[in-house]
């Protein structure tokens, strides 16, 4: 059983592409080998900046011989049938055998496919892999036509076993596979031969190449933490950076250097971001002060002066970078202490979106919305409005201009420098959250109000201009915004009608667009533009009135092109609400709540109060897990089916008048009593939104309903009895439906 | 190669010239127009197109009006030098050749950490892009290394390898200088030793003031439009010159106008009169000119045109 070793040696492969490339090489080659009839014991892929490597152990030496018999036409069939059979098998008539069959003699073709040596198969599979490799970006070089991530310089491809090694004969665009590779670019550049996987790994290590990316990352991590620990400091963990730097070096050497005194007062996030983004440095923290005091750089070689020259150079570059950062920080602080007026003015010039106006206009909308949302989440309306006004000012700061990822974080520092209350400064940072499904949800009321207003304005805005997410395309991250709203509401137990907030947001948006002349009001009848000039202010009430008179006026995007008028607020709100419900379903499903349970609750009134909706769903989910709950659904379904059929047949609704005096059977009487009790319990429970109690009362009907169906025939001969029982079924249905729409529950 | 460490800015330039001359490059002179980068020199932009082999190296004074800091910033200048190498087709040992040039200016690989870090190059104004790296020496970016894939919207076949050295930054690093104005321009032992600041501090001040506050934006806008119109007008002429009866496509005069338009745009940008949305539109207008020049160049002899219709169609 030979082992296969492949090395694709190239100029420097971008670090971010290496992990996917390793996987692709392994998958494509092993899939190709297996498809061609070979088997193998194990496969491993490695990468360095200059090589992609695959080792396949225990490969079979040949693919098996294949023999296939194919039945053809009868011997006395017309000539054309035989010709077709010969064409499809590629044989001649004298190679066929005639054999007896049930219906007489038929032609049989025996197709033999001899196995092939592994080397031939490897050569074929590797060439196809190289030519079709899924690099995210690839290039040509020189006069060749091959594409690779950077110029491919050599291919090593060996099959080796106890008897020795064999070079797989293979040539791709003038590069002939061999058994030669090279070591570290500077520390051991001479080419050398290898005889197999172990020999390759051992010789590479001697040539200052640590082949295994995980080993490099471990080495870096341990050397860096040890270096920090030795000085009583700690390394700031950054897994992404670790993987990246491990992909930038073949022989990692960790060096730790000092940050000049004058930069130590910069915010930790600024130091960290600048060092990481520009220099790919790790940050080293003093656990006592929490400050970043050193950096760790990972270099690609050992030197006679133990890295002194390299460290000196890196320190100089860092000083130049941090001088820039310190310059930004100083200037920004001056603007912040002066009240940030320059930034406010600047945001009027910054377009948020061509059809939605400037950042300043957007901030005005968020402010109006935050003011409305504040009391619903326990925040002071004036504070929420003030927070909304300052939350995005840092977008104009020099620091965020340089490091966009520091938005919000800098906002908090600058708001503090401006002397604003702590909850307002906090909102500058927290209103962007939650950023992802695992990001924590803010809980401070002012932050919650601004975070909701920000996301809801984004959603209504893009909905209004018809830029909704489609399929995998969601360029404005609207799904994330909707999930953010859901998590903010649920995480804080906020109770309000989302629809009314969406309606408000849409009206505020139209008002804002009219004010910016991005929208115009047009008479439908005459086509004449009524309002479209800037300098006029319109109140929400005015816009609302315009929209209500939809038969007379329409509000449309103000542009030379022909745009359809904006959808009505009612349509936008219901469409957006459906989007929220979709996101909510995804969210709840991940929390183990069945989708039909969610549907059953969605069709109840008040479904835009997300907290209420989820509590109802959780209660229903719980009760359906009990035996009573599960059987109740069956009883309900039986009652509902019989009733629906009878109603369809009789053309009437049996919606009232079940009278206990017509009860014949004790089970029937008991059901009347049980329904009375359940109704008495469910009503007040629902009023207090005590869904668990309501569900329990509903589930308690299971016994009486089962007994009723057991003892009584609904479609009795006696028409009075029948009608009474159908009306009784209606009471079952109505009682259950008051709790949740059980018709949506599947199965059982 | 001279031994040891270079002592001045100009010695680094001279060593690079000697090194690339020894590698067989034609040592060209700077293009005599204001450009934003060495790439704009027709020896790069146009010569990267078509099938004819090419190897050239040159210094190119480059102007970036928005980077002016009145000569005060240790690293930023509105006028600086780039060293540019273009070889077509890119040779298989271009990385080794490049490293040889670093050795030639006194960088000892036994003591320094050289790295090729992913950096894909794109010039929206030239409609050009390529893949390559920025080259780091001890964490400092010392060069751009690019394999051109497209120029002026045309696929590069064969592919050119382009090297760009930011000369001031590289020299400051090699010479151990912290402020560009303090860098020895000629040999410090010369009878009249000159620092970079002796040569350029005053011009940095003058141009910074003019670029940011004084340049007449109305005129610049007019110049931009005039250059744009002239470029198009030149290329609209028929290929055959009625006077000589020869086929003369006036690519370079047209491309000069494209360079001018690009520079006027940079000046307008520095004056802060171009909004974010307009910016894209201006860049698109320059790109359209560059594209037309590229289209025309591949119709010329230098651009690989052989008179054979089938070759030209490619």
């Amino acid at each position: 059983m030979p082992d296969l070793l492949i090395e694709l040696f190239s100029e420097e492969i971008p670090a971010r592409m290496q992990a996917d490339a390793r996987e692709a090489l392994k998958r494509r080659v092993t899939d190709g080998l297996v498809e061609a009839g070979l088997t193998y014991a194990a496969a491993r892929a490695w990468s360095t900046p200059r090589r992609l490597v695959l080792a396949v152990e225990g490969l079979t030496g040949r693919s098996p011989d294949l023999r296939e018999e194919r039945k053809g036409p009868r011997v006395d069939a017309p000539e054309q049938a035989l010709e077709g059979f010969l064409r499809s098998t590629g044989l001649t008539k004298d190679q066929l055998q005639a054999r007896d069959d049930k219906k007489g003699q038929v032609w049989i073709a025996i197709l033999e496919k001899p196995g092939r040596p592994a080397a031939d198969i490897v050569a074929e599979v590797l060439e196809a892999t190289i030519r079709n490799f899924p690099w995210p970006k690839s290039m040509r070089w020189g006069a060749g036509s091959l594409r690779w991530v950077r110029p491919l310089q050599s291919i090593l491809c060996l099959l080796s076993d106890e008897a020795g090694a064999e070079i797989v004969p293979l040539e791709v665009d003038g590069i002939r596979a061999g058994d030669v590779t090279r070591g570290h670019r500077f520390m051991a550049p001479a080419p050398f031969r290898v005889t197999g996987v172990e020999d390759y790994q051992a010789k590479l290590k001697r040539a200052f190449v640590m082949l295994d990316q995980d080993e490099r990352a471990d080495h870096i991590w341990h050397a860096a933490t040890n270096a920090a620990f030795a000085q009583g400091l700690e390394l700031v963990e950054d897994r992404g950076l670790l993987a990246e730097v491990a992909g930038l070096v073949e022989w990692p050497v960790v060096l730790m250097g000092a940050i000049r005194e004058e930069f130590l007062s910069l915010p930790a996030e600024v130091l960290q971001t600048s060092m990481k983004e520009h220099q790919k440095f790790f940050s080293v923290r003093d656990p006592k002060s929490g400050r970043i005091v050193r950096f760790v750089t990972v270099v690609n070689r050992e030197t006679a002066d133990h890295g002194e020259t390299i460290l000196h150079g890196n320190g100089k570059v860092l000083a130049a970078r941090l001088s820039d950062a310190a310059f930004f920080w100083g200037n920004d602080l001056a603007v912040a202490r002066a009240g940030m007026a320059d930034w406010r003015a600047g945001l009027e010039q910054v377009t948020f979106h061509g059809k939605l106006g400037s950042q300043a206009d957007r901030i005005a909308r968020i402010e109006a919305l935050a003011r409305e949302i504040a009391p619903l989440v326990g925040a002071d309306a004036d504070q929420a409005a003030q927070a909304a006004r300052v939350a995005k000012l840092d977008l104009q700061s020099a620091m965020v201009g340089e490091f966009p990822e520091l938005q919000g974080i800098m906002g908090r520092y600058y708001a503090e420098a401006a002397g604003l209350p702590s909850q307002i400064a906090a909102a500058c940072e927290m209103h962007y959250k939650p950023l992802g499904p695992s990001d924590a949800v803010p809980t401070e009321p002012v932050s919650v109000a601004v975070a909701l207003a920000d996301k809801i304005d984004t959603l209504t805005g893009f909905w209004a201009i018809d830029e909704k997410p489609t399929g995998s395309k969601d360029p404005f991250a609207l799904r994330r915004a909707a999930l953010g709203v859901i998590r903010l509401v649920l995480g804080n137990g906020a109770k309000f009608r989302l629809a009314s907030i969406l309606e408000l947001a849409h009206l505020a948006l139209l008002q804002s667009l009219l004010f910016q002349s991005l929208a115009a009001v047009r008479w439908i009848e005459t086509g004449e533009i009524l309002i479209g000039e800037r300098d006029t202010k319109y109140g929400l009430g005015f816009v609302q009135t315009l929209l209500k008179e939809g038969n007379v006026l329409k509000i449309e995007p103000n542009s030379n092109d022909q745009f359809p008028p904006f959808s009505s607020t009612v349509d936008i709100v219901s469409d957006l609400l459906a989007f929220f419900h979709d996101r909510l379903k995804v969210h709840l499903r991940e929390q183990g709540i069945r989708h039909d349970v969610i549907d059953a609750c969605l069709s109840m009134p008040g479904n835009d109060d997300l907290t209420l909706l989820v509590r109802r769903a959780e209660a229903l989910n719980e009760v359906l897990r009990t035996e009573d709950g599960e059987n109740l659904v069956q009883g309900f379904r039986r009652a509902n089916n019989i009733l629906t059929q009878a109603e369809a047949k009789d053309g009437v609704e049996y919606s009232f008048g079940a009278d206990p005096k017509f009860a014949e059977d004790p089970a029937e009487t008991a059901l009347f009593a049980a329904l009375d009790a359940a109704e008495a319990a469910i009503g007040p429970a629902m009023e207090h939104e005590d869904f668990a109690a309501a569900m329990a009362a509903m589930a308690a009907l299971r016994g009486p309903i089962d007994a009723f169906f057991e003892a009584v025939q609904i479609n009795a001969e006696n028409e009075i009895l029948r009608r009474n029982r159908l009306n009784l079924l209606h009471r079952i249905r109505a009682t259950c439906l008051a709790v949740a729409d059980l018709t949506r529950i599947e199965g059982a | 190669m001279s031994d040891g460490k270079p002592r001045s800015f100009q010695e680094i330039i001279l060593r690079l010239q000697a090194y690339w001359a020894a590698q067989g490059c034609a040592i060209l002179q700077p293009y005599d127009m204001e450009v934003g980068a060495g790439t704009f020199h027709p020896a790069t932009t146009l010569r990267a197109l078509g099938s004819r082999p090419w190897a050239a190296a040159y210094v190119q004074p480059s102007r970036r009006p928005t980077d002016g800091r009145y000569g005060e910033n240790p690293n930023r200048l509105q006028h600086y030098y780039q060293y540019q190498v273009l070889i077509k087709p890119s040779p298989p040992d271009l990385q080794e050749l490049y490293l040889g040039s670093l050795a030639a200016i006194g960088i000892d690989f036994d003591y320094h950490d050289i790295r090729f870090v992913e950096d894909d190059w794109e010039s929206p104004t030239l409609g050009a892009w390529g893949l390559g790296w920025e080259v780091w020496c001890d964490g400092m970016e010392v060069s751009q290394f690019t394999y051109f894939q497209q120029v002026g919207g045309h696929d590069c076949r064969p592919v050119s390898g382009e090297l760009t050295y930011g000369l001031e930054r590289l020299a400051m690093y090699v010479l151990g200088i912290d402020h560009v104005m303090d860098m020895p321009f000629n040999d410090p032992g010369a009878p009249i030793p000159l620092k970079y600041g002796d040569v350029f501090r005053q011009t940095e001040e003058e141009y910074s003031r003019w670029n940011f506050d004084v340049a007449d934006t109305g005129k610049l806008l007019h110049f931009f439009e005039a250059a744009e119109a002239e470029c198009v007008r030149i290329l609209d002429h028929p290929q055959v010159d009625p006077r000589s009866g020869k086929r003369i496509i006036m690519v370079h005069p047209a491309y000069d106008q494209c360079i001018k338009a690009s520079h006027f745009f940079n000046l307008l940008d520095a004056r802060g009169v171009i909004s974010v949305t307009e910016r894209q539109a201006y860049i698109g207008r320059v790109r359209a000119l560059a594209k037309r020049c590229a289209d025309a160049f591949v119709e010329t002899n230098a651009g690989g045109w052989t008179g054979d219709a089938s070759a030209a169609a490619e």
Side-chain angles (χ1 to χ4, degrees):
Chain A
M1 292 283 215
D3 293 337
L4 170 65
L5 173 65
I6 295 171
E7 181 199 60
L8 303 171
F9 188 87
S10 69
E11 298 179 12
E12 276 75 357
I13 307 165
R16 67 185 171 94
M17 300 179 186
Q18 290 172 23
D20 285 349
R22 286 194 300 269
E23 275 314 300
L25 178 65
K26 185 164 122 184
R27 199 185 55 243
R28 292 195 170 214
V29 171
T30 53
D31 284 0
L33 297 177
V34 169
E35 207 169 296
L38 298 180
T39 63
Y40 64 97
R44 278 195 75 182
W46 299 286
S47 66
T48 79
R50 299 174 82 198
R51 47 197 112 216
L52 267 183
V53 178
L54 177 68
V56 181
E57 282 171 41
L59 193 65
T60 36
R62 286 184 70 82
S63 60
D65 299 335
L66 294 177
R67 187 171 190 278
E68 184 197 352
E69 288 192 1
R70 211 183 291 171
K71 194 158 87 175
R74 278 160 55 148
V75 171
D76 55 2
E79 198 64 13
Q80 291 102 313
L82 179 61
E83 274 169 22
F85 185 57
L86 291 176
R87 250 197 319 278
S88 76
T89 55
L91 300 179
T92 55
K93 190 174 172 182
D94 53 340
Q95 289 172 304
L96 300 181
Q97 292 180 10
R99 210 179 277 174
D100 285 333
D101 194 59
K102 279 172 253 162
K103 298 170 197 157
Q105 280 216 311
V106 295
W107 290 114
I108 297 289
I110 295 170
L111 300 169
E112 283 186 330
K113 226 174 130 199
R116 300 164 64 207
D120 290 2
I121 294 171
V122 168
E124 221 171 77
V125 167
L126 183 55
E127 175 167 359
T129 302
I130 292 172
R131 290 197 184 278
N132 304 306
F133 204 79
W135 293 111
K137 248 181 181 179
S138 64
M139 54 166 273
R140 292 171 290 106
W141 60 95
S145 61
L146 186 64
R147 301 188 74 91
W148 199 245
V149 64
R150 292 294 183 277
L152 180 63
Q153 289 181 328
S154 64
I155 300 169
L156 183 152
C157 189
L158 276 187
L159 277 168
S160 58
D161 54 21
E162 302 79 19
E166 168 199 7
I167 295 174
V168 174
L170 162 75
E171 190 175 315
V172 186
D173 220 44
I175 305 169
R176 184 181 291 275
D179 59 357
V180 175
T181 186
R182 275 166 277 183
H184 188 279
R185 186 191 277 286
F186 298 105
M187 298 180 77
F192 54 85
R193 289 205 135 70
V194 300
T195 57
V197 179
E198 276 176 30
D199 184 49
Y200 173 76
Q201 284 171 298
K203 281 181 178 157
L204 272 187
K205 191 137 271 184
R206 284 204 293 278
F208 301 99
V209 175
M210 219 182 264
L211 176 63
D212 184 341
Q213 60 286 341
D214 298 333
E215 186 189 344
R216 292 196 302 276
D218 281 352
H219 173 86
I220 293 167
W221 182 251
H222 284 116
T225 43
N226 287 344
F229 182 75
Q231 302 202 13
L233 305 171
E234 62 189 21
L235 193 70
V236 177
E237 185 169 338
D238 189 335
R239 293 277 151 193
L241 183 61
L242 182 61
E244 187 183 2
V245 295
L248 284 171
V249 292
E250 292 204 309
W251 193 250
V253 174
V254 164
L255 301 174
M256 186 161 76
I259 298 170
R260 281 193 210 160
E261 192 65 35
E262 68 217 78
F263 302 125
L264 292 181
S265 60
L266 284 168
E269 294 93 337
V270 170
L271 283 169
Q272 242 169 288
T273 307
S274 175
M275 297 205 294
K276 174 185 174 170
E277 293 303 313
H278 290 138
Q279 304 300 129
K280 307 192 197 300
F281 288 172
F282 288 92
S283 295
V284 179
R285 185 166 42 207
D286 181 344
K288 282 178 231 108
S289 65
R291 293 205 159 277
I292 306 295
V293 291
R294 297 258 194 291
F295 67 86
V296 159
T297 181
V298 181
V299 306
N300 192 27
R301 66 161 306 146
E302 295 163 12
T303 62
D305 65 351
H306 306 290
E308 198 182 309
T309 310
I310 296 172
L311 206 49
H312 178 74
N314 274 288
K316 262 177 99 161
V317 182
L318 179 63
R321 292 291 191 185
L322 293 183
S323 308
D324 281 349
F327 177 76
F328 298 148
W329 173 242
N331 284 356
D332 286 349
L333 279 182
V335 178
R337 288 187 186 123
M340 307 193 269
D342 287 1
W343 294 340
R344 195 167 290 121
L347 283 177
E348 284 172 20
Q349 308 304 318
V350 179
T351 305
F352 168 65
H353 182 286
K355 292 181 185 169
L356 296 174
S358 73
Q359 283 284 12
D361 291 303
R362 178 166 134 77
I363 289 168
R365 296 197 296 270
I366 296 174
E367 181 190 342
L369 213 48
R371 198 178 270 289
E372 299 293 333
I373 294 172
L376 307 175
V377 296
D380 177 77
D382 287 338
Q383 278 200 343
Q386 194 187 2
R389 276 198 301 277
V390 299
K392 297 202 183 284
L393 294 182
D394 67 336
L395 294 179
Q396 280 297 96
S397 69
M399 191 71 85
V400 175
E402 180 73 7
F403 300 115
E405 63 269 47
L406 289 180
Q407 71 175 15
I409 293 170
M410 296 321 295
R412 178 183 215 145
Y413 281 113
Y414 297 145
E416 281 166 0
L420 293 169
S422 67
Q423 59 269 50
I424 289 178
C428 293
E429 179 179 357
M430 303 309 285
H431 83 279
Y432 287 107
K433 293 176 178 285
L435 284 172
S438 55
D439 196 21
V441 174
T443 52
E444 208 286 317
V446 173
S447 294
V448 173
V450 182
L452 282 169
D454 183 15
K455 291 167 179 64
I456 288 173
D457 176 69
T458 303
L459 285 160
T460 12
F462 286 107
W463 239 255
I465 61 169
D466 206 19
E467 290 277 5
K468 306 171 201 174
T470 49
S472 61
K473 287 208 187 91
D474 184 10
F476 304 107
L478 300 179
R479 291 193 182 102
R480 191 174 79 186
L483 180 62
V485 170
I486 289 168
R487 293 190 54 215
L488 278 160
V489 169
L490 299 183
N492 288 288
K495 285 196 76 297
F496 59 87
R497 304 295 299 260
L498 183 58
S500 56
I501 293 295
L502 295 176
E503 184 184 324
L504 210 62
H506 187 247
L507 291 172
L509 176 80
L510 291 178
Q511 179 195 20
S512 163
L513 296 183
L514 282 174
F515 178 57
Q516 297 173 68
S517 296
L518 285 167
V521 176
R522 196 186 284 274
W523 286 96
I524 283 186
E525 283 162 2
T526 63
E528 169 195 4
I529 288 192
L530 185 67
I531 300 165
E533 299 304 315
R534 209 169 220 285
D535 65 11
T536 324
K537 282 211 173 190
Y538 310 97
L540 277 183
F542 175 70
V543 178
Q544 214 156 2
T545 314
L546 287 183
L547 288 172
K548 275 187 188 147
E549 295 166 6
N551 56 336
V552 184
L553 299 160
K554 59 180 175 173
I555 301 182
E556 62 185 31
N558 191 12
S559 156
N560 293 331
D561 308 322
Q562 285 299 310
F563 281 112
F566 290 113
S567 300
S568 74
T569 304
V570 177
D571 290 348
I572 293 281
V573 168
S574 77
D575 198 30
L576 250 178
L577 207 53
F579 182 66
F580 272 109
H581 285 154
D582 278 347
R583 302 328 299 163
L584 183 65
K585 276 192 204 176
V586 174
H587 178 66
L588 292 181
R589 221 174 301 160
E590 282 161 8
Q591 316 224 323
I593 297 185
R594 286 157 47 175
H595 70 98
D596 55 341
V597 167
I598 305 167
D599 284 334
C601 298
L602 274 177
S603 53
M604 301 302 290
N607 68 6
D608 63 332
D609 180 336
L610 303 183
T611 299
L612 191 77
L613 176 60
V614 169
R615 277 175 30 203
R616 191 194 294 265
E618 283 168 350
L620 182 56
N621 207 52
E622 275 312 304
V623 84
L624 289 185
R625 281 186 189 158
T626 65
E627 205 206 330
D628 273 354
E630 203 181 313
N631 286 306
L632 172 80
V633 172
Q634 290 184 36
F636 167 82
R637 184 166 296 127
R638 194 163 164 194
N640 190 41
N641 286 345
I642 295 171
L643 184 57
T644 310
Q645 279 166 19
E647 285 181 337
K649 186 171 144 235
D650 304 347
V652 288
E653 263 187 46
Y654 294 99
S655 58
F656 91 158
D659 194 330
K661 77 179 177 210
F662 298 116
E664 272 194 339
D665 193 279
E668 202 169 2
T669 315
L671 180 57
F672 270 105
L675 280 167
D676 287 343
E679 279 165 8
I682 288 172
M686 292 299 285
E687 207 147 291
H688 294 104
E689 296 173 2
D690 184 351
F691 296 113
M695 303 276 173
M698 181 177 77
L701 287 172
R702 176 243 166 146
I705 291 176
D706 284 358
F708 170 70
F709 279 124
E710 191 75 22
V712 171
Q713 193 189 356
I714 307 292
N715 288 314
E717 299 280 325
N718 181 330
E719 190 54 26
I720 294 175
L721 281 187
R722 177 175 176 264
R723 220 177 302 142
N724 198 53
R725 284 174 184 162
L726 286 170
N727 279 321
L728 186 56
L729 292 188
H730 177 265
R731 272 190 72 188
I732 296 177
R733 177 162 80 180
T735 306
C736 292
L737 287 184
V739 179
D741 185 356
L742 296 188
T743 60
R744 304 278 179 149
I745 300 299
E746 290 171 2
Chain B
M1 276 313 98
S2 348
D3 290 331
K5 292 250 168 217
R7 287 156 56 88
S8 67
F9 184 50
Q10 71 189 26
E11 189 182 347
I12 287 171
I13 296 176
L14 291 170
R15 286 197 193 187
L16 285 174
Q17 297 277 50
Y19 176 83
W20 287 107
Q23 308 309 322
C25 285
I27 303 300
L28 302 182
Q29 300 306 318
Y31 203 57
D32 58 341
M33 295 187 66
E34 300 109 321
V35 294
T39 310
F40 275 83
H41 195 308
T44 291
T45 314
L46 296 180
R47 294 291 176 159
L49 292 163
S51 55
R52 291 189 175 226
W54 182 255
Y58 54 89
V59 177
Q60 181 62 51
S62 305
R63 303 202 189 207
R64 300 216 171 146
T66 46
D67 279 354
R69 296 292 183 272
Y70 302 83
E72 286 161 12
N73 186 292
N75 302 301
R76 278 193 202 279
L77 301 161
Q78 57 82 39
H79 172 284
Y80 66 106
Y81 288 121
Q82 282 192 344
Y83 196 83
Q84 176 86 5
V85 179
L86 190 86
I87 306 181
K88 178 174 76 174
S90 63
D93 58 346
L94 188 57
Q95 281 189 312
E96 274 68 39
L97 290 176
Y98 166 74
L99 291 172
S101 75
L102 293 188
I105 58 173
I107 293 178
D108 181 349
F109 303 135
D110 285 346
Y111 289 90
H112 293 278
D113 180 39
I114 307 291
R115 233 79 81 66
F116 292 85
V117 180
E118 177 191 15
D119 189 38
D120 300 339
W121 172 82
E122 188 181 9
S123 167
T125 38
L126 290 175
W129 68 275
L131 298 192
W133 312 272
E134 47 184 48
V135 185
W136 286 14
C137 176
D138 303 339
M140 158 96 121
E141 184 196 338
V142 290
S143 304
Q144 282 280 335
F145 191 130
T146 307
Y147 291 100
F148 276 9
Q149 302 295 302
Q150 255 194 6
V151 173
H154 290 256
D155 278 355
C156 297
R157 285 177 197 277
V159 167
S160 301
E162 184 213 40
L163 307 172
T164 303
Y165 308 69
L167 281 172
E168 281 82 355
R169 196 190 333 203
L170 177 62
M172 282 167 69
Y173 191 69
V174 171
L175 300 172
I177 304 291
D178 289 328
H179 197 298
V180 62
M181 293 298 168
D182 298 334
M183 179 161 61
F185 201 102
N186 60 0
D187 195 280
I192 305 174
L194 294 169
K195 298 246 164 104
Y196 195 92
D198 297 325
V199 182
F200 283 124
R201 190 191 301 275
Q202 183 177 322
T203 52
E204 281 299 307
E205 285 179 352
E206 293 175 8
Y207 278 103
S208 292
R209 183 175 177 197
W210 183 71
N211 291 338
F212 288 130
D213 298 323
V214 178
D216 184 332
T217 54
K219 285 210 181 70
L220 289 174
L221 198 57
H222 171 71
F223 293 157
F224 178 91
E225 279 162 0
E228 183 185 38
E230 179 64 2
C231 177
V232 171
R233 195 185 70 84
I234 295 170
L235 292 175
D236 281 344
H237 275 68
Q239 295 189 346
V240 176
D241 170 30
R243 179 191 293 274
S244 63
K246 286 200 215 152
R247 187 172 172 279
I248 304 178
I249 304 171
M250 297 167 286
V251 181
H252 287 78
Y255 181 62
D256 285 353
Q257 300 301 321
C258 170
I259 291 178
K260 276 185 208 279
S262 171
H263 181 60
F264 291 133
F265 161 72
N266 288 339
L267 288 170
L268 285 164
D269 200 20
R271 289 285 279 115
V273 295
I274 292 181
S275 72
V276 183
T277 32
E278 286 173 318
R279 219 167 171 277
Q280 288 313 312
Y282 275 101
I283 289 172
R285 284 162 76 177
V286 178
R287 181 169 57 238
L289 299 180
K291 168 122 186 41
R292 282 212 56 182
C293 293
D295 294 348
F297 183 73
V298 296
E299 293 284 302
T300 68
N301 289 331
W305 187 78
T306 55
D308 171 5
S310 63
E314 201 233 348

